[in-house]
Amino acid sequence: MVERVNIDGSEEIAMETVINRQKAYYMNGSTRSLTFRLNQLKQLKEAIKEYEEQLLDALLLDLNKPKEEAFLTEFAPVYQEITHILTHLSKWMQPKKVKTPITHKGSKSIVYYEPHGLCLIIAPWNYPFHLAIAPLIGAIAGGNCAIIKPSELTPHTSKVIAEMIRTYFDDEYVTVIEGDVEVSRALLEQRFDHIFFTGSTKVGKIVMKAAAEHVTPVTLELGGKSPAIVDRSAKLDLAAKRIAWGKFLNAGQTCVAPDYVLVHEEVMDSFLSLIQKHTKKLFSKRIRQKRYPKIVSERHLKRLVSFLEDGEVVVGGEVDVENDLLSPTILTNVAWDASIMQEEIFGPILPIFSYTTTEDCMEKANRNPNPLALYVFSETKEFQEMITQQIPFGGGCINDTIMHLATPHLPFGGKGESGIGAYHGYDSFLTFTTKKSLLKQATNFDIPFRYKQGSVLLSLLRKWVK
């Protein structure tokens, strides 16, 4: 079991010491003020600017992400999130007065937003910078201390994040603990005030079980089989282009990527032709120039390659084992009980199915319940509303993919096996705080009825509350 960790690049210290120092720092109250939170958010923004090039280089080494793609998906949302919260945090932090019933005459009811305290952020490897820093923004905005555990599968990015945080923040306030799965297990045995985890449903269940030992609240950002649905009224060329882009971005290693497509049978042939065209147009040159993101590990690549046997490859399917590359691949003639349909694909393979009626479409989509995302392409309002209102999912788009993730005005989160809780913008502030209720009672008078007993009190209560 891991008992000692390195947080400053020199000597190892006991993990318990790291935890206790942060708890003590939080208890001194300095993280709570608006001024402190705003200054720390501004400092984080400056840190990211200073380390931006190093982080871009690290992402290229870890995942072969081209710098323009890395900036679009890793940095732009983070910069936008900080700016948004800096603008609104003062208003969000204000105690909220709420109504008081007549039974509480003379009193005032107020809701305060209390920081959790010490938060653990466990980040994934697919967007190793974005998904480590975005929760940190919420933790800072909420007035908390934080420990970040980056993914060991992206070691270069993890190292730069650790250096950046160490340079700009006190260890007692925010720190990074690097390491493998054993380090994660050791952290989960500690008592935190909130745990924020992004990753697979399988590991999310382990995190939730560990949190239950201390009754620690959790936010779980997981995944699932997110469908894209193409109605016969859809603008097919645009739908094909946006689905191809959203699916094969970051080599399909995106939690909200379309996992499969349901296409109305009347437009199936046309859609297949168009999505093949756009897949080749968007990604063939990148593949040739070796500027397409790689699969994170040999183990993950082998798993994806095994899925190629589950259907007919109509485009893609090229594998470069030496460089951990799999070209964007479209499959047809896939059985619903095939292995590729039993779990989230999380790679550049897209099965495409047809459906006959709206009822058939919804029945097929609901075979994999509560996906993290859903995308519907249609020009018919009735169809849009039927799909989005009757199929449960975390969030999504009409006539687009992925882009709902990039706005701080929309909460982002899942449902059921795709996650618990949400964040981004105001919802990040809510996630990293808890509502504390307070009743301020008057002392210049006292209503005597509460002290009465028997039928008199019962009669008064019935009259006032009904």
Side-chain angles (χ1 to χ4, degrees), residues 229 358-359 361-363 365-367 369-371 374 382-393 415:
I229 297 170
T358 302
E359 291 71 25
C361 173
M362 291 193 292
E363 187 275 327
N366 281 320
R367 292 180 186 180
N370 300 321
L374 181 143
E382 291 77 13
F383 184 83
Q384 295 172 1
E385 291 184 351
M386 184 171 293
I387 295 297
T388 57
Q389 298 303 311
Q390 296 192 30
I391 298 178
F393 60 97
K415 178 180 179 180

Side-chain angles (χ1 to χ4, degrees), residues 68-195:
E68 67 275 14
E69 179 177 325
F71 189 88
L72 174 68
T73 60
E74 302 262 10
F75 290 85
V78 167
Y79 282 131
Q80 185 173 241
E81 181 86 354
I82 295 175
T83 300
H84 180 75
I85 290 181
L86 284 171
T87 303
H88 299 284
L89 184 58
S90 175
K91 179 181 177 181
W92 297 344
M93 284 180 61
Q94 293 297 315
K96 182 181 179 182
K97 293 182 180 179
V98 297
K99 291 183 177 181
T100 301
I102 192 170
T103 51
H104 294 60
K105 186 174 178 61
S107 64
K108 296 179 181 179
S109 301
I110 305 172
V111 176
Y112 293 86
Y113 296 92
E114 178 84 1
H116 290 305
L118 176 54
C119 300
L120 173 63
I121 297 168
I122 302 177
W125 52 262
N126 59 324
Y127 292 93
F129 174 73
H130 178 184
L131 298 180
I133 301 302
L136 176 63
I137 296 168
I140 291 173
N144 305 277
C145 293
I147 290 176
I148 305 170
K149 166 59 179 70
S151 174
E152 69 275 13
L153 295 180
T154 47
H156 298 92
T157 306
S158 176
K159 182 178 179 181
V160 178
I161 290 174
E163 181 185 330
M164 179 185 78
I165 295 298
R166 186 167 58 243
T167 301
Y168 274 83
F169 297 95
D170 292 334
D171 291 337
E172 292 88 351
Y173 175 49
V174 179
T175 194
V176 174
I177 295 180
E178 297 184 272
D180 59 14
V181 66
E182 290 303 317
V183 173
S184 296
R185 288 197 182 104
L187 282 167
L188 288 171
E189 290 186 354
Q190 305 296 318
R191 184 185 292 273
F192 288 90
D193 299 300
H194 192 87
I195 298 174

Side-chain angles (χ1 to χ4, degrees), residues 5 17 77 87 90 97 105 218 242 248 256 267 310 350 386 391 395 411 462:
V5 292
T17 300
T87 303
S90 175
K97 293 182 180 179
K105 186 174 178 61
V218 296
R242 289 176 176 174
F248 300 121
V256 290
V267 296
D310 289 342
L350 183 63
M386 184 171 293
I391 298 178
R462 283 175 170 165

Side-chain angles (χ1 to χ4, degrees), residues 252-273:
Q253 299 169 126
T254 303
C255 59
V256 290
D259 199 81
Y260 62 99
V261 186
L262 289 167
V263 186
H264 194 283
E265 62 178 2
E266 291 182 11
V267 296
M268 179 67 163
D269 290 342
S270 298
F271 179 80
L272 269 176
S273 176

Side-chain angles (χ1 to χ4, degrees), residues 56 141 428:
L56 288 169
S428 282

